[in-house]
Amino acid sequence: MTLKQSFPYEKSIVTNALYDTIEKLELNLDSSNSARGTLIVSEGRLAGKMRIGLSTGASEQETAVSIFPEGAGEGTSAKWGRIILRELATTIEQAHRRQRR
């Protein structure tokens, strides 16, 4: 199952927020490829990994985040994917509010 959500921010902002989110959730960043906009993430106690892809949305000011199971990680991806997207949205919103102050 692939999960996808778009954010109305440029890719660099969403990427930085995603790194913060991964750290906050104490997930493992197994590898990243900034040129392709992909990260491989795992959760230490569960088998399976997730591939997180970032791509430009409808405009340069929009970024789509897609989460795919990697290997045998279908269950891990479904559970953690929703958590990551929810926490990522919260992280971006908090940063946006701080910036407006």
Side-chain angles (χ1 to χ4, degrees), residues 3 5 7-8 13 32-33 36 38 40 51 72 79 95:
L3 300 171
Q5 184 171 341
F7 296 91
I13 292 170
S32 66
N33 182 328
R36 290 184 61 200
T38 60
I40 304 297
R51 180 169 41 95
K79 174 189 171 195

Side-chain angles (χ1 to χ4, degrees), residues 35-100:
R36 290 184 61 200
T38 60
L39 297 90
I40 304 297
V41 177
S42 63
E43 198 278 331
R45 296 169 289 169
L46 300 174
K49 298 180 181 203
M50 296 163 278
R51 180 169 41 95
I52 304 173
L54 293 100
S55 58
T56 303
S59 72
E60 290 291 321
Q61 298 299 316
E62 184 176 295
T63 303
V65 178
S66 302
I67 301 177
F68 309 90
E70 186 77 8
E74 185 80 32
T76 300
S77 177
K79 174 189 171 195
W80 279 102
R82 286 188 287 277
I83 294 169
I84 289 168
L85 290 175
R86 186 173 53 242
E87 190 64 37
L88 178 58
T90 300
T91 299
I92 290 172
E93 182 58 36
Q94 288 172 345
H96 184 69
R97 274 190 263 148
R98 280 192 303 266
Q99 186 181 35
R100 287 191 311 206

Side-chain angles (χ1 to χ4, degrees), residues 5-19:
Q5 184 171 341
S6 291
F7 296 91
Y9 301 98
E10 62 185 42
K11 192 174 176 182
S12 64
I13 292 170
V14 176
T15 300
N16 289 333
L18 183 56
Y19 281 116

